[in-house]
Amino acid sequence: IKVNRTANCVTVYTYDEKGKYTIPVRAMICSTGLDNSTITGDYTIGIKSEWLSLVGDVFGRYISGISGDYLFHSVPYYSMSEEDLELAEFNKLGEQASQGCVRLAVSDAKWVYDNCPTGTNVSIYDDAENAGPLGKPDAIKITDFTNKWDPTDTNNQRCKRLHNQKRRRILRPCRSNSR
């Protein structure tokens, strides 16, 4: 995993035919630490936890430890409820916003949690010119502040219902007036 701290972009690699991790497979927008407070260097993923209490009386989901208190995790939640997201913090993905951790949308934090086991190499660096080989994904912005859940969270039941309603509207057959 490579984290471009300047670009607020994470790129995950898989191995090539020689067993070297050179093939980029996924890019994720993130929020690194304010004032470059995210550490740089080479580390390995350590602890894993589905929920964890964070600094500031908030909680993160799908935690993958980088080094000490530096973690990959979701945007913070006010409680251990998937429907209590700090919405304003979600809208900061793509810019520095954390106290040093690497914040991700829930879908990306879960992907790292599920697919990058303990011992996975993590390199955190600065490159203002190049976000990474897959580029920097566009940020999703929350505009409906009555929904307090991460719009990428496909495990959230309310989110699933909303996606299914939209899909049914899109997949409804068109009726033609012609006979």
Side-chain angles (χ1 to χ4, degrees):
I1 301 173
K2 292 188 179 182
V3 180
N4 184 335
R5 186 175 71 165
T6 306
N8 286 284
C9 184
V10 176
T11 305
V12 181
Y13 294 78
T14 191
Y15 53 89
D16 59 22
E17 66 280 350
K18 296 178 183 175
K20 303 279 186 190
Y21 286 87
T22 61
I23 301 171
V25 293
R26 186 173 176 123
M28 306 171 213
I29 194 166
C30 71
S31 287
T32 57
L34 289 167
D35 301 319
N36 291 324
S37 59
T38 300
I39 54 177
T40 57
D42 297 320
Y43 308 93
T44 58
I45 288 183
I47 68 157
K48 296 271 193 165
S49 180
E50 193 166 333
W51 283 98
L52 189 68
S53 177
L54 305 173
V55 173
D57 294 323
V58 294
F59 299 87
R61 285 181 73 192
Y62 302 115
I63 285 67
S64 297
I66 299 169
S67 177
D69 291 336
Y70 295 92
L71 315 165
F72 288 109
H73 62 74
S74 71
V75 171
Y77 288 78
Y78 292 110
S79 68
M80 287 177 44
S81 166
E82 63 188 19
E83 296 186 13
D84 204 10
L85 181 72
E86 284 195 51
L87 299 174
E89 295 302 310
F90 181 90
N91 283 345
K92 293 178 185 177
L93 284 172
E95 62 190 69
Q96 290 186 344
S98 79
Q99 294 185 1
C101 290
V102 179
R103 293 180 182 170
L104 300 163
V106 162
S107 61
D108 291 331
K110 185 173 185 337
W111 193 92
V112 170
Y113 180 84
D114 288 343
N115 294 287
C116 302
T118 299
T120 297
N121 292 323
V122 177
S123 177
I124 304 173
Y125 67 99
D126 291 317
D127 185 346
E129 302 298 317
N130 181 8
L134 300 177
K136 181 178 178 177
D138 293 331
I140 297 170
K141 298 296 183 186
I142 296 173
T143 56
D144 179 357
F145 288 93
T146 60
N147 293 324
K148 295 192 173 207
W149 39 268
D150 183 318
T152 71
D153 186 1
T154 57
N155 288 332
N156 181 301
Q157 294 305 312
R158 291 174 86 189
C159 186
K160 281 183 183 178
R161 284 194 299 275
L162 180 63
H163 286 304
N164 287 338
Q165 288 170 355
K166 285 182 180 177
R167 188 176 317 133
R168 279 194 296 273
R169 273 186 255 146
I170 293 168
L171 297 177
R172 250 185 223 140
C174 296
R175 292 196 174 126
S176 173
N177 289 336
S178 60
R179 296 203 163 148

